[in-house]
Amino acid sequence: MEFKRRNGGPPMGGASQAKRGKSVGEWEDSPSQFEEELSMFEDAEMEAEEMEGQAGHDVIPVGDLFSADLNPRWRRPHAPSLDSSSDTLVFQGLCWPGMPGQSQGKVPIIRMFGVTDSGNSVCCHVHGFAPYFYVTAPNGFTSDYLGEFKRELNSAVLEGHAFSFAFPAGMYGYHGKRSLDFLRITMAMPRLIAPAKRLLEQGFKFGPFPIQNYQSYEANIDFEIRFMVDSDVVGCCWIELPKGKYRLREEKSMEITDSQYPGKVDVGWTDLISHPAEGDWQRIAPLRVLSFDIECAGRKGIFPEPDKDPVIQIASMVQRQGETEPFIRTVFTLQSCASIVGSQILCFTQEKQMLQSWAEFLRTVDPDIITGYNIQNFDFPYLLNRAAALKVNLFPYLGRVRGIKSVLRDLNFQSKQMGRRENKTINMEGRVQFDLLQVLLRDYKLRSYTLNAVSFHFLQEQKEDVQHSIITDLQNGNEQTRRRLAVYCLKDAYLPLRLLQKLMCVINYMEMARVTGVPLTYLLSRGQQIKVVSQLLRQAMKQDLVMPVVKTEGGEDYTGATVIEPEKGYYSVPIATLDFSSLYPSIMMAHNLCYTTLLQKGSAEKLGLSPEDFIKTPTGDLFVKSSVRKGLLPEILENLLSARKRAKAELKKETDPFKKQVLDGRQLALKISANSVYGFTGAQVGKLPCLEISQSVTGFGRQMIEQTKQLVESKYIISNGYQGDAKVIYGDTDSVMVKLGVATVKDAMDIGREAAEWVSSHFTPPIKLEFEKVYYPYLLINKKRYAGLYFSSSADTHDKMDCKGIETVRRDNCPLVANLINTCLQRILIDRDPQGAVAHAKEVISDLLCNRIDISQLVITKELTRTAQEYAGKQAHVELAESAKSQQRSSQGTFHIE
DNA sequence: GAGGATACCTAA
DNA sequence: TAAGTTAGGTATCCTC
């Protein structure tokens, strides 16, 4: 997304700005491009404000900080008056902090935060919904026993609970028409669910029934998810409170800071209406996004410690979602600071006062989303710890609920996907913490995750040039050096906003929340499983099915996909590539694989099923066909994929660029969601693993790729009138690379398309083999390592050079190696000059050996960087050069193929 | 130096 | 108190 230029100002600086080093003196004379950009914000706003009769102020006396006259933009707009008897209240739901601290009486209340179209925030108290779970009812249980069961359980759990009786069926396994009876046990508080469950599982006796271990169901569902599923609310959807069905809360005190808090309403949980994200309900409220960055004055060579080193500056930028520029640009500084055009500087002599004022600023601005770079593990923890050290007692109230303190906690997050990760968390009711670093770590594989590297990668822009080591010196200088620091700090607050916008993070995450049904905050704080659970529960509820709680224990791994043995070599003929699109989802749909369709050992006979009623998978597992019962997972997948088709069709005809972004985000979310269902069933340490499903899926996949190879090689042969004998030279999981024996890309495309269609006809829909691309030429180095020129859109020109698994795409090499290999591959594939490739490699190595290469090119991997930090100067140089040399020597071997 | 275990990262 | 899967290449360290 391009930044809007104004007043014919200079275009945004690319790399040039970064290379320009500045001494302190030089700085004062030549404002950076970022400063010019800031001043342009000001110009634009002056024009606007002249009409409002307000002037901007550079430096504001602290006493007037929060006066509405001086900072009219800080506050949210005045809420339109609302009459609950005649007006409906509509808002986009954002945050579910679950239960308030205490339930009132025996009835739990859920807080739900959101923002209206006019940009006012709402805190909606939802009444009447209580957490619950199920257990299987003992044989012979009738409703007559409810009272006794309840009394017995109550006396054991020591807390009141409501109680009801339900007849859903278990989800796991197909049991014919037999349906177990379930007891639905409703508790007053979410935290009572676990003890009640434990009690019933470990052996519970009541009335005439013998002591029994009760199997529990859905006792491990987060309360927020429980509520959202039951009330058909998905993350970030629009919520309507119909007129007459809700009550406005009257605020008791009218202190000046009051309007910063959301408008509070009460509603019964069955009265709120949620709107599916379609048509007008796809829109996004004008959320307030705050980005901030802090600077600390550390001691020489020591990482700043909050109990010793002061916070000296806090820069903040606030932007409304959907707009292109921040409307608040502020730096809080300790000691004086020269003015910066286009931003507001607030100077403090006391650090304590600065911190307190910033907290007040945050509460006044009342952001819905807070971003920044590593704010979760650095800025917020530092601020909280520093505020505690200085006893700024009013600081740590950063959420939207008065009186709830924001507390720092350590959190250990571990998964096979992400490894072990230690994180800190801060509770902040009603606001979404959207740390850009966390977003990037989850969604992008990058060589470096520093803000500087990331900004350069995505925006071709870099940080202001200030070394960490001189921050303290700048602070101890004069108002000009502190100004330099402030510009740096502002930019560090600005870049995350720009990145958020460029990568469309907010939109994409919202669409993911809407598609999977989980709250926005879950997407950054939780793993993949919860998204599938949320969808599974929604689908199960429609069929009166309940989800069992399974104990998680790791077991044997199961067999995965086939990788066809590659016929390694360099191919100077077109190689067609055929792919099964969405292989695993389509297998699950085609064969109706699901928890609810699985036949356990002997079930087929017991239930008297005929052989036409079920299938046997390649791994020997049995599943009933959809004619007997349609599985939940296939249904979920069909919904996801058909929704994706719709989104793509809408995307095609949509002209509004903003709606286009939303739709693109949606189709992406739908694709990712469909692909993660298989992984969920195979996650042995998970909420509901089912290896019969996952191993059947991969089993079918293995069979299919094998069959595809045979089909292609049997039909596309000379004796059938084709130009050559087809040969599958490689294939991995869902794809085959075929040498068709044709000379041109066009022929390869034509036959490839034909073959894909013909092979597809041998499989059950929606399984479909598609022609995807032609590689020409193609270099097949090994399993999962190849490169080729990629022809897809046109038979005349290649779209790109595609490299898989080679050093060029791996992050455990230094760029020198990646560049070397990349150039060599270009020589081979594009120039068709393998000798040139060898010559280039030799040249680079000789440069390296003769010390003609800058050491900075060698340092990149985490290991090397760490090593570099441990060793000093020359020693590091030698160490790293050795390492790079050995990597190059070995990778040179790659090119002995020709 | 062959062979095994491990770490890391990628393909799909 | 939460955590998607398996296959597989390459580098590196260790043992015999």
Side-chain angles (χ1 to χ4, degrees):
Chain A
M1 196 185 304
E2 255 318 296
F3 219 86
K4 226 179 180 172
R5 297 282 116 229
R6 284 215 171 88
N7 305 336
M12 189 76 94
S16 64
Q17 180 199 337
K19 290 179 191 132
R20 209 169 56 194
K22 294 187 193 71
S23 70
V24 176
E26 202 184 333
W27 185 277
E28 290 163 28
D29 302 328
S30 56
S32 69
Q33 268 168 316
F34 173 54
E35 283 182 72
E36 286 168 20
E37 201 176 338
L38 276 172
S39 72
M40 277 188 282
F41 292 150
E42 172 101 344
D43 293 345
E45 278 158 11
M46 292 286 264
E47 283 168 33
E49 279 176 3
E50 266 163 31
M51 291 183 282
E52 297 166 23
Q54 288 168 341
H57 293 258
D58 282 340
V59 181
I60 291 188
V62 171
D64 297 331
L65 255 187
F66 300 97
S67 102
D69 291 340
L70 278 173
N71 287 304
R73 294 183 204 150
W74 286 13
R75 281 171 203 289
R76 285 185 185 269
H78 276 293
S81 67
L82 194 67
D83 181 345
S84 64
S85 63
S86 57
D87 299 321
T88 58
L89 176 57
V90 174
F91 61 93
Q92 190 186 6
L94 277 179
C95 238
W96 282 262
M99 304 283 290
Q102 284 298 316
S103 63
Q104 296 180 354
K106 294 272 187 257
V107 192
I109 301 169
I110 297 159
R111 270 201 212 93
M112 190 161 137
F113 290 92
V115 178
T116 65
D117 278 313
S118 54
N120 300 107
S121 75
V122 175
C123 172
C124 178
H125 294 82
V126 184
H127 297 254
F129 185 80
Y132 62 86
F133 68 106
Y134 297 96
V135 294
T136 39
N139 279 335
F141 191 94
T142 66
S143 52
D144 297 338
Y145 295 111
L146 284 174
E148 207 165 343
F149 189 103
K150 177 177 172 178
R151 268 195 304 282
E152 200 58 41
L153 191 62
N154 261 338
S155 69
V157 186
L158 288 174
E159 296 273 354
H161 58 270
F163 189 61
S164 59
F165 193 47
F167 300 91
M171 184 193 289
Y172 211 112
Y174 178 70
H175 307 288
K177 298 218 158 51
R178 179 176 68 97
S179 106
L180 291 168
D181 289 342
F182 286 86
L183 298 173
R184 174 162 153 163
I185 298 163
T186 306
M187 308 300 288
M189 302 282 290
R191 64 177 170 79
L192 298 177
I193 295 283
K197 161 185 175 267
R198 220 170 16 248
L199 211 86
L200 289 162
E201 277 178 354
Q202 285 168 358
F204 177 73
K205 176 163 175 26
F206 82 99
F209 295 90
I211 188 159
Q212 188 174 334
N213 304 87
Y214 291 79
Q215 161 72 38
S216 61
Y217 293 74
E218 303 192 359
N220 53 353
I221 305 302
D222 302 278
F223 185 54
E224 291 98 317
I225 298 289
R226 175 82 278 161
F227 168 72
M228 291 171 79
V229 167
D230 286 30
S231 56
D232 204 21
V233 164
V234 297
C236 300
C237 72
W238 285 85
I239 294 188
E240 178 180 332
L241 309 185
K243 59 186 174 193
K245 299 286 186 151
Y246 66 98
R247 207 175 64 235
L248 284 165
R249 270 199 197 183
E250 288 193 19
E251 289 299 320
K252 285 174 196 119
S253 63
M254 291 302 290
E255 13 175 324
I256 189 149
T257 54
D258 242 25
S259 68
Q260 76 207 31
Y261 290 100
K264 289 180 189 163
V265 296
D266 292 272
V267 69
W269 83 278
T270 51
D271 286 330
L272 64 87
I273 298 170
S274 81
H275 292 281
E278 281 157 22
D280 252 2
W281 300 113
Q282 296 180 31
R283 68 184 185 270
I284 292 174
L287 308 176
R288 293 188 149 211
V289 184
L290 176 142
S291 175
F292 78 100
D293 179 55
I294 68 169
E295 302 302 331
C296 314
R299 292 146 294 159
K300 277 261 180 303
I302 304 173
F303 196 75
E305 294 166 31
D307 50 339
K308 301 193 182 74
D309 303 309
V311 174
I312 52 177
Q313 295 195 344
I314 310 174
S316 316
M317 293 224 178
V318 187
Q319 185 167 329
R320 272 177 291 261
Q321 173 61 31
E323 294 183 1
T324 53
E325 291 165 3
F327 64 96
I328 296 177
R329 303 168 297 273
T330 307
V331 200
F332 286 56
T333 69
L334 190 56
Q335 307 310 336
S336 64
C337 176
S339 67
I340 300 169
V341 178
S343 56
Q344 190 181 41
I345 296 180
L346 305 166
C347 305
F348 298 82
T349 51
Q350 300 294 320
E351 186 191 0
K352 209 172 154 170
Q353 199 188 10
M354 179 180 78
L355 293 180
Q356 170 143 355
S357 297
W358 187 77
E360 193 65 20
F361 164 77
L362 183 137
R363 288 188 284 262
T364 305
V365 167
D366 188 30
D368 304 295
I369 294 178
I370 304 185
T371 189
Y373 212 73
N374 203 17
I375 53 170
Q376 190 188 339
N377 288 312
F378 180 73
D379 300 64
F380 269 133
Y382 200 97
L383 285 174
L384 286 184
N385 285 329
R386 186 66 188 159
L390 296 178
K391 299 195 171 56
V392 188
N393 297 328
L394 291 179
F395 185 89
Y397 296 87
L398 302 175
R400 282 203 171 130
V401 182
R402 236 170 307 189
I404 295 191
K405 197 170 172 176
S406 299
V407 184
L408 186 62
R409 286 194 183 83
D410 283 315
L411 198 73
N412 259 328
F413 186 91
Q414 192 180 347
S415 79
K416 272 192 194 167
Q417 183 183 235
M418 322 254 303
R420 174 168 290 170
R421 199 160 280 176
E422 275 178 28
N423 269 323
K424 299 184 186 305
T425 58
I426 302 117
N427 60 300
M428 214 173 285
E429 285 69 19
R431 307 193 204 286
V432 180
Q433 294 171 62
F434 210 77
D435 187 338
L436 191 73
L437 173 62
Q438 301 299 323
V439 173
L440 294 170
L441 286 172
R442 273 179 184 251
D443 298 346
Y444 296 89
K445 296 215 162 287
L446 302 172
R447 282 201 140 92
S448 165
Y449 288 94
T450 64
L451 179 57
N452 202 34
V454 162
S455 303
F456 187 71
H457 186 260
F458 291 112
L459 304 169
Q460 288 76 53
E461 210 177 307
Q462 292 189 298
K463 294 176 34 141
E464 292 292 297
D465 189 13
V466 171
Q467 295 291 320
H468 280 290
S469 52
I470 66 164
I471 287 177
T472 305
D473 296 334
L474 289 176
Q475 172 65 14
N476 293 335
N478 53 37
E479 62 168 26
Q480 285 301 330
T481 62
R482 284 190 288 274
R483 178 184 185 281
R484 180 179 166 190
L485 190 58
V487 171
Y488 168 81
C489 192
L490 266 171
K491 181 129 194 193
D492 281 7
Y494 182 49
L495 285 171
L497 272 186
R498 290 281 311 279
L499 285 160
L500 218 57
Q501 209 170 329
K502 169 101 184 180
L503 303 174
M504 301 190 301
C505 299
V506 175
I507 291 175
N508 289 346
Y509 270 67
M510 279 195 178
E511 283 303 313
M512 182 57 92
R514 286 171 168 175
V515 162
T516 58
V518 305
L520 191 59
T521 48
Y522 276 40
L523 298 175
L524 275 175
S525 65
R526 303 280 293 269
Q528 303 294 320
Q529 296 208 33
I530 189 64
K531 296 192 265 186
V532 183
V533 169
S534 161
Q535 295 172 82
L536 196 54
L537 282 172
R538 285 165 202 270
Q539 202 67 43
M541 206 168 66
K542 292 185 196 161
Q543 297 187 20
D544 264 340
L545 295 169
V546 295
M547 198 177 111
V549 176
V550 298
K551 51 183 181 298
T552 60
E553 51 186 25
E556 292 270 291
D557 283 358
Y558 59 92
T559 312
T562 297
V563 183
I564 295 174
E565 194 58 41
E567 300 214 346
K568 300 172 200 173
Y570 171 75
Y571 294 86
S572 58
V573 292
I575 302 295
T577 303
L578 312 178
D579 288 52
F580 286 103
S581 55
S582 305
L583 178 70
Y584 288 176
S586 64
I587 289 175
M588 295 171 93
M589 289 187 277
H591 301 109
N592 202 34
L593 307 183
C594 185
Y595 306 96
T596 60
T597 57
L598 172 66
L599 282 169
Q600 261 125 3
K601 279 254 178 301
S603 283
E605 295 79 28
K606 229 183 289 172
L607 296 167
L609 292 172
S610 79
E612 294 87 65
D613 291 333
F614 59 92
I615 56 148
K616 188 171 190 174
T617 71
T619 45
D621 301 300
L622 307 178
F623 291 87
V624 298
K625 291 184 180 172
S626 58
S627 50
V628 179
R629 176 204 251 178
K630 181 85 181 260
L632 299 175
L633 296 180
E635 244 168 36
I636 290 172
L637 291 168
E638 276 164 29
N639 292 341
L640 288 171
L641 294 179
S642 71
R644 178 159 187 243
K645 249 184 210 158
R646 277 202 308 277
K648 285 178 104 170
E650 275 181 65
L651 179 63
K652 229 175 193 171
K653 58 178 194 224
E654 182 61 65
T655 50
D656 178 358
F658 185 72
K659 287 183 183 165
K660 271 187 122 126
Q661 288 176 16
V662 173
L663 287 168
D664 197 48
R666 172 169 313 173
Q667 68 86 15
L668 188 72
L670 289 162
K671 179 184 162 181
I672 295 172
S673 303
N675 284 333
S676 58
V677 171
Y678 152 76
F680 176 79
T681 65
Q684 300 195 45
V685 187
K687 278 250 156 64
L688 197 62
C690 181
L691 264 45
E692 290 89 343
I693 296 175
S694 35
Q695 69 183 6
S696 294
V697 168
T698 58
F700 275 119
R702 290 193 297 274
Q703 224 175 49
M704 286 161 59
I705 196 171
E706 200 54 50
Q707 197 183 342
T708 301
K709 177 174 146 80
Q710 276 160 16
L711 285 169
V712 170
E713 289 182 348
S714 67
K715 179 171 181 190
Y716 297 91
I717 51 178
I718 296 172
S719 54
N720 279 344
Y722 291 93
Q723 284 180 51
D725 287 340
K727 177 84 184 104
V728 171
I729 55 165
Y730 179 57
D732 185 345
T733 311
D734 61 354
S735 64
V736 287
M737 276 67 164
V738 197
K739 187 179 74 176
L740 289 163
V742 296
T744 66
V745 172
K746 169 112 188 15
D747 287 348
M749 284 180 163
D750 291 343
I751 300 182
R753 283 198 188 93
E754 183 195 322
E757 197 177 322
W758 180 71
V759 173
S760 294
S761 69
H762 291 74
F763 295 106
T764 316
I767 292 172
K768 195 174 167 218
L769 187 70
E770 288 177 337
F771 164 79
E772 201 177 71
K773 68 232 173 194
V774 166
Y775 284 121
Y776 177 61
Y778 185 57
L779 179 65
L780 181 51
I781 298 169
N782 210 337
K783 281 183 177 175
K784 301 190 190 282
R785 286 168 70 83
Y786 61 82
L789 297 190
Y790 182 112
F791 289 78
S792 175
S793 48
S794 146
D796 304 320
T797 51
H798 63 267
D799 302 275
K800 58 182 175 185
M801 184 173 86
D802 202 20
C803 300
K804 291 292 159 75
I806 303 175
E807 277 73 4
T808 53
V809 296
R810 292 182 65 94
R811 296 174 299 166
D812 50 1
N813 288 98
C814 67
L816 184 74
V817 172
N819 291 336
L820 165 66
I821 305 269
N822 195 45
T823 308
C824 290
L825 287 173
Q826 284 177 358
R827 293 267 190 286
I828 294 170
L829 298 169
I830 300 174
D831 308 338
R832 310 266 189 132
D833 175 18
Q835 292 312 313
V838 174
H840 176 76
K842 281 183 178 166
E843 196 181 317
V844 172
I845 290 170
S846 118
D847 284 350
L848 190 66
L849 292 171
C850 301
N851 245 338
R852 287 194 293 263
I853 286 180
D854 182 0
I855 183 171
S856 64
Q857 283 193 46
L858 301 179
V859 185
I860 185 61
T861 66
K862 283 169 212 153
E863 272 60 45
L864 290 179
T865 311
R866 208 174 303 133
T867 316
Q869 283 162 358
E870 282 166 19
Y871 291 81
K874 200 172 177 185
Q875 198 184 350
H877 190 143
V878 172
E879 191 85 9
L880 293 169
E882 282 301 324
S883 158
K885 268 183 280 180
S886 82
Q887 285 187 34
Q888 276 166 13
R889 277 192 215 102
S890 55
S891 44
Q892 204 194 1
T894 303
F895 299 100
H896 286 174
I897 287 163
E898 184 56 16

